[in-house]
């Protein structure tokens, strides 16, 4: 299995621009998570989906952030407009519910730099 | 407010010695805990977990200890190897069916050869 795939791996953009991060989960997994990693806050859960439906978006910092999962094999995280404080590494993870707590498999991340 | 805290941002240990990484939590509802390891330019990977009904779980060189009364867990690596050099995140989840893991800020472990 190819694992969780994220694109792009690196993104540099100017403040005010729209940024779209993409994720392909592991085939057959029914949960998808978006995280943001910063030095100060570590790994923060932004939003997660179950069977393509958003379950909890309480971690999304502002209305500038939005996420979609149009089908079981694709999800996007969009930031519009972007700001320098959005600079971070964004991870996508997926898992298959097999018990009350299941391992999450992370992609390699997208390093976003907003100048 | 951070519900899961890793107060040591970094740790250096000699090869062959024990590495002890610590994690504290504030939410008494947490009942499942995990450790993830992260190498540079890669995503975190699952290492070991423990349920609150246990106080110890062992997997090869890795052992996780849970002290519920102190709201503290630790990861022991014995013996430490240079390949263990990575950032280690602890995470916790509550039995609420939310499937949310709350992660700490991470501890960077460096094992010196």
């Amino acid at each position: 299995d190819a694992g969780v795939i994220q694109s792009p791996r690196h993104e540099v953009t100017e403040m005010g621009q729209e940024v779209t991060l993409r994720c392909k989960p592991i085939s057959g997994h029914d949960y998808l998570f978006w995280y943001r990693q910063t030095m100060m806050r570590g790994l923060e859960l932004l939003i997660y989906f179950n069977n393509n439906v958003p379950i909890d978006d309480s971690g999304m910092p502002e209305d500038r952030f939005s996420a979609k999962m149009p089908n079981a094999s694709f999800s996007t995280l969009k930031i519009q407009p972007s700001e320098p404080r959005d600079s971070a590494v964004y991870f996508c993870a997926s898992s298959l519910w097999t018990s009350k707590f299941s391992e999450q498999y992370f992609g390699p991340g997208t390093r976003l730099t907003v100048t | 407010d951070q519900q899961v805290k890793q107060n040591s941002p970094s740790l250096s240990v000699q090869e062959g010695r024990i590495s002890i990484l610590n994690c504290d939590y504030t939410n008494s509802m947490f009942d499942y805990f995990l450790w993830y390891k992260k190498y540079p330019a890669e995503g975190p990977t699952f290492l070991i977990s423990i349920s609150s009904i246990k106080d110890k779980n062992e997997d090869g060189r890795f052992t996780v200890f849970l002290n519920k009364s102190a709201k503290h867990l630790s990861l022991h690596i014995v013996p430490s190897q240079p390949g263990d050099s990575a950032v280690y995140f602890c995470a916790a989840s509550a039995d609420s069916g939310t499937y949310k893991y709350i992660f700490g800020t991470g501890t960077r472990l460096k094992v010196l050869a």
Side-chain angles (χ1 to χ4, degrees), chain B residues 38-72:
Chain B
K38 182 186 179 305
Y39 291 119
E42 296 182 10
T45 55
F46 171 75
L47 187 58
I48 192 169
S49 64
I50 187 168
S51 166
S52 61
I53 63 174
K54 297 184 177 181
D55 54 19
K56 176 182 173 181
N57 188 26
E58 195 171 350
D59 183 1
R61 296 184 298 112
F62 302 91
T63 303
V64 56
F65 294 92
L66 176 63
N67 182 335
K68 290 185 289 294
S69 61
K71 294 191 180 66
H72 177 83

Side-chain angles (χ1 to χ4, degrees), chain A residues 38-54:
Chain A
T38 61
M39 290 293 293
M40 291 300 295
R41 301 178 69 85
L43 272 169
E44 296 177 273
L45 177 64
L46 300 177
I47 184 172
Y48 76 94
F49 296 81
N50 176 221
N51 292 323
N52 313 338
V53 176

Side-chain angles (χ1 to χ4, degrees), chain A residues 9 31 33 35 37 39-43 45 48 56 58 91 95-97 100-108, chain B residues 2 31-32 34 36 38 41-46 87 89 93-95 97-106:
Chain A
R9 294 294 309 274
Y31 281 86
F33 307 82
Y35 288 89
Q37 183 193 5
M39 290 293 293
M40 291 300 295
R41 301 178 69 85
L43 272 169
L45 177 64
Y48 76 94
D56 186 340
S58 60
F91 289 101
S95 68
L96 175 66
W97 194 95
K100 190 181 295 184
F101 301 100
S102 298
E103 177 184 347
Q104 296 179 14
Y105 294 82
F106 284 76
Chain B
Q2 285 283 113
D31 65 351
Y32 196 77
L34 310 92
Y36 274 75
K38 182 186 179 305
E42 296 182 10
T45 55
F46 171 75
V87 177
F89 291 96
S93 184
D95 182 16
T98 65
Y99 216 143
K100 288 172 67 169
Y101 294 158
I102 308 298
F103 283 82
T105 52

Side-chain angles (χ1 to χ4, degrees), chain A residues 22-23 33 54 62 81-83 89 95 97 111-112:
Chain A
R22 298 172 175 79
C23 175
F33 307 82
E62 301 171 32
S82 58
E83 296 182 4
V89 181
S95 68
W97 194 95
R111 180 173 294 277
L112 173 65

Side-chain angles (χ1 to χ4, degrees), chain B residues 2-35:
Chain B
Q2 285 283 113
Q3 296 186 65
V4 178
K5 301 177 183 179
Q6 294 178 256
N7 293 318
S8 297
S10 63
L11 175 69
S12 292
V13 173
Q14 284 294 133
E15 180 180 7
R17 305 296 290 269
I18 184 172
S19 294
I20 300 176
L21 294 93
N22 295 304
C23 180
D24 297 296
Y25 61 95
T26 58
N27 189 341
S28 58
M29 297 299 292
F30 287 150
D31 65 351
Y32 196 77
F33 305 87
L34 310 92
W35 285 93

